[in-house]
Amino acid sequence: MVLPRPSSPSISPSGRSPMLIRLASASVAVALSVALSACTTGVGSAADGSEADASSSSSARTVAHARGETAVPAAPQRVVVLEPVALDTTIALGIVPVGAAVLNEAAGVPAYLGDEAASIETVGTVTEPDVEKIASLAPDLVIGTESRHSALYDQLSAVAPTVFLASQADPWKDNVALVGEALGRADEATALLADYQARCDEIASEFDVSGTAQLIRPRDGLLTLYGPESFAGSTLECVGFETPERDWEDSISVDLSPEKVLDATADQVFVTTTDVSDESTTPEAISDNASAFPELHLVDQSYWITGVGPLGGLAVLDDIEGVLSRTR
């Protein structure tokens, strides 16, 4: 079974699209933010963007993060984000970043984030951000990760107050909470996570979900299986599925060779692709053993893998609901 490409947010049986509602709410919040910024001068947005600018203001806040504590503007207006979870969360909180590092510069900002996000300027990739491009945007806050960007912290801090998540692989909800705190919208971030949980509970209740589910990402000739601590894996478990037992090696994922494809079976198997309408993107190892994968669903990699955050979570949940609706 191939999951259709979600060219627009899917509608649940109840007639509501949580993804659409959240994007609409974000749009309203962005409009308000822009209006306010036109009337006031943002804290910490001086020409050199240094951390000293924020710390010298009486309205600055101190945020504890992976590198210690940093004084950040009370209401950042020009934010640069270096991780997908920070990008998704920032937009979900009603702030469109002025710059973002992306997984692939050719692909740019993921389309699931909506038209407003298409205007964000890319500043290199998540593994190799371009500090000069970041500086040219005169940000008043930069959000990155210690695990990927440790060597750049001093340079980034010289540009603007910088907050580091510990790792992109940390429990994603913790990262959402820290991004919310850095943006001065901690309560709103908590509300977004509550909305996500409520959506999980709604699906679990409506469909009485049971059985196992596995997400597989084909890459570099291998099959990467995602575990219960991963973004997508935790979302599958949030609605009631169980991840097949295996040694996750203290990681969010493990790699299998195609020869071991039968170790990846489950009651529901989701396979990521860049084109959900193209069944030929199903890995050959899986196609050759189709009888072992009777419930197979191609899903959009742009949010199942890289869409970590509240908006990506709602998009994944819409897909899961679509699968459950067709297989009940």
Side-chain angles (χ1 to χ4, degrees):
M1 179 182 299
V2 179
L3 189 64
R5 175 185 294 278
S7 56
S8 60
S10 59
I11 304 298
S12 70
S14 62
R16 296 182 292 111
S17 170
M19 179 67 173
L20 186 59
I21 292 171
R22 181 59 58 202
L23 286 172
S25 299
S27 298
V28 173
V30 168
L32 291 173
S33 176
V34 171
L36 288 171
S37 65
C39 300
T40 62
T41 300
V43 177
S45 57
D48 65 359
S50 66
E51 289 198 2
D53 297 324
S55 62
S56 65
S57 170
S58 60
S59 60
R61 297 172 296 107
T62 298
V63 175
H65 58 103
R67 274 297 182 100
E69 294 185 341
T70 295
V72 304
Q77 300 295 314
R78 297 185 60 80
V79 182
V80 171
V81 293
L82 308 183
E83 286 290 349
V85 65
L87 174 59
D88 182 298
T89 303
T90 300
I91 292 174
L93 288 171
I95 299 173
V96 177
V98 294
V102 292
L103 290 171
N104 184 306
E105 288 194 274
V109 175
Y112 84 89
L113 290 171
D115 293 339
E116 291 169 323
S119 65
I120 299 172
E121 185 167 340
T122 59
V123 292
T125 64
V126 294
T127 55
E128 295 185 6
D130 188 323
V131 177
E132 289 187 5
K133 283 186 177 180
I134 294 171
S136 72
L137 296 175
D140 57 8
L141 176 65
V142 176
I143 303 175
T145 52
E146 179 69 14
S147 58
R148 281 207 241 249
H149 311 126
S150 176
L152 298 177
Y153 184 79
D154 290 342
Q155 295 177 59
L156 293 170
S157 294
V159 171
T162 298
V163 170
F164 268 7
L165 310 174
S167 168
Q168 76 280 0
D170 278 355
W172 68 276
K173 294 179 184 178
D174 293 347
N175 284 339
V176 168
L178 181 52
V179 171
E181 184 179 356
L183 295 173
R185 302 191 178 190
D187 290 345
E188 292 89 335
T190 298
L192 290 176
L193 292 173
D195 288 346
Y196 163 87
Q197 184 62 53
R199 182 82 172 110
C200 285
D201 295 342
E202 178 185 24
I203 293 173
S205 175
E206 180 177 353
F207 295 96
D208 190 21
V209 182
S210 62
T212 59
Q214 181 66 69
L215 176 68
I216 303 174
R217 178 187 182 187
R219 58 175 177 175
D220 302 327
L222 297 172
L223 301 174
T224 299
L225 278 56
Y226 285 81
E229 295 301 317
S230 69
F231 164 67
S234 66
T235 301
L236 287 166
E237 294 216 337
C238 188
V239 301
F241 285 117
E242 293 184 4
T243 306
E245 290 188 12
R246 70 178 65 253
D247 181 4
W248 292 103
E249 302 170 5
D250 295 322
S251 177
I252 64 171
S253 64
V254 295
D255 292 332
L256 290 182
S257 65
E259 293 77 16
K260 295 184 177 181
V261 66
L262 295 181
D263 290 347
T265 58
D267 296 324
Q268 302 287 341
V269 175
F270 300 83
V271 178
T272 64
T273 177
T274 57
D275 186 352
V276 298
S277 65
D278 185 357
E279 293 189 45
S280 70
T281 60
T282 303
E284 184 177 356
I286 293 178
S287 297
D288 289 346
N289 294 275
S291 61
F293 298 90
E295 293 294 343
L296 182 72
H297 318 282
L298 293 180
V299 294
D300 194 325
Q301 179 172 305
S302 72
Y303 51 89
W304 275 76
I305 297 296
T306 63
V308 182
L311 296 180
L314 293 178
V316 169
L317 288 170
D318 282 349
D319 278 359
I320 293 172
E321 181 181 51
V323 166
L324 293 170
S325 295
R326 289 189 295 274
T327 59
R328 68 190 315 174

